[in-house]
Amino acid sequence: MAKDYQDPPPAPLFDMEELGKWSLYRAVIAEFVATLLFLYVSVLTVIGYKAQTDTSAGGGDCGGVGILGIAWAFGGMIFVLVYCTAGISGGHINPAVTFGLFLARKVSLVRTVLYIVAQCLGAICGCGLVKAFQSSYYNRYGGGANQLAEGYNKGTGLGAEIIGTFVLVYTVFSATDPKRSARDSHIPVLAPLPIGFAVFMVHLATIPITGTGINPARSFGAAVIYNNEKAWDDQWIFWAGPMIGAAAAALYHQFVLRAAGIKSLGSFKSFA
């Protein structure tokens, strides 16, 4: 039976010709700006919530947006930004997503490296803007930095980041699957919605444990600007966890759910 869809060819591992194309640099700029905006709005929401609930500064226990509002800020911004940038850069806004798509041969190594650099720089600039506009609150309320909460060991934090990122990256693969897009014409338009909702749900579950990273750029940018020893000590969790979770999601989707995983492996061998 003929397929009613067509998988795109795997991206070349090394595509040096990309470096001469404006479309690559336009996509890198889009990733930088999107990650900057993501960190600015989301970290500002976290700091605002902590300020409004600080009883020593006149706040109330029931003030602010609460954990639900913080989760909505992160998930909502991802929904908006993926929708805005999907047609330009793919709307990754997260090194773990980029890494997972690289393992699935959706993007080249050149694009992967440039995206991750742009995402990290965008995150640093986004947190820098928050500190510039809210300097009196930024350090007092933790700078939005990811840290392992008291009462949890590093293994628990790492597990939370692995599973949380798996949920996100698995959703990305499912929402952008060409097989689904071919059979349901509305899927490409709605793809940002389940991705943003996945971010929202994971935040609800893991904010009490790690503050929810699932995005190494988000954790790195906040750590650079906040520059706190505890944030740096825990930083490896917010890189190792998301990258492991992204790799697991990519392998699950490509090798278990789709036969494309075998073709992907074969194309890797062709470079040997």
Side-chain angles (χ1 to χ4, degrees), residues 109-128:
L109 180 61
V110 171
R111 187 174 292 261
T112 297
V113 172
L114 291 179
Y115 272 23
I116 291 176
V117 171
Q119 290 156 359
C120 289
L121 291 177
I124 292 171
C125 292
C127 290

Side-chain angles (χ1 to χ4, degrees), residues 23-201:
S23 59
L24 171 63
Y25 300 103
R26 180 180 61 186
V28 170
I29 293 169
E31 287 292 310
F32 170 83
V33 172
T35 312
L36 184 156
L37 295 174
F38 173 56
L39 267 293
Y40 174 74
V41 171
S42 57
V43 171
L44 202 57
T45 302
V46 172
I47 292 174
Y49 164 68
K50 290 185 176 181
Q52 291 171 321
T53 55
D54 184 359
T55 55
S56 65
D61 291 333
C62 298
V65 297
I67 289 180
L68 184 65
I70 292 173
W72 272 122
F74 279 88
M77 279 303 291
I78 288 297
F79 166 61
V80 170
L81 294 170
V82 170
Y83 180 83
C84 292
T85 61
I88 301 170
S89 67
H92 298 189
I93 322 173
N94 184 337
V97 171
T98 301
F99 180 63
L101 292 172
F102 166 71
L103 292 180
R105 301 301 306 279
K106 306 293 186 184
V107 292
S108 69
L109 180 61
V110 171
R111 187 174 292 261
T112 297
V113 172
L114 291 179
Y115 272 23
I116 291 176
V117 171
Q119 290 156 359
C120 289
L121 291 177
I124 292 171
C125 292
C127 290
L129 285 177
V130 175
K131 186 173 184 178
F133 295 151
Q134 296 280 356
S135 57
S136 61
Y137 290 149
Y138 189 85
N139 288 324
R140 186 191 310 173
Y141 297 116
N146 287 124
Q147 300 180 29
L148 188 63
E150 292 184 13
Y152 295 97
N153 60 44
K154 293 186 183 298
T156 301
L158 181 63
E161 289 296 308
I162 291 173
I163 296 172
T165 311
F166 180 92
V167 171
L168 169 59
V169 178
Y170 176 40
T171 303
V172 170
F173 275 104
S174 298
T176 59
D177 192 325
K179 181 176 181 179
R180 174 172 296 187
S181 299
R183 296 177 181 178
D184 300 303
S185 60
H186 62 282
I187 290 296
V189 177
L190 295 181
L193 182 59
I195 295 171
F197 202 69
V199 172
F200 166 70
M201 296 302 295

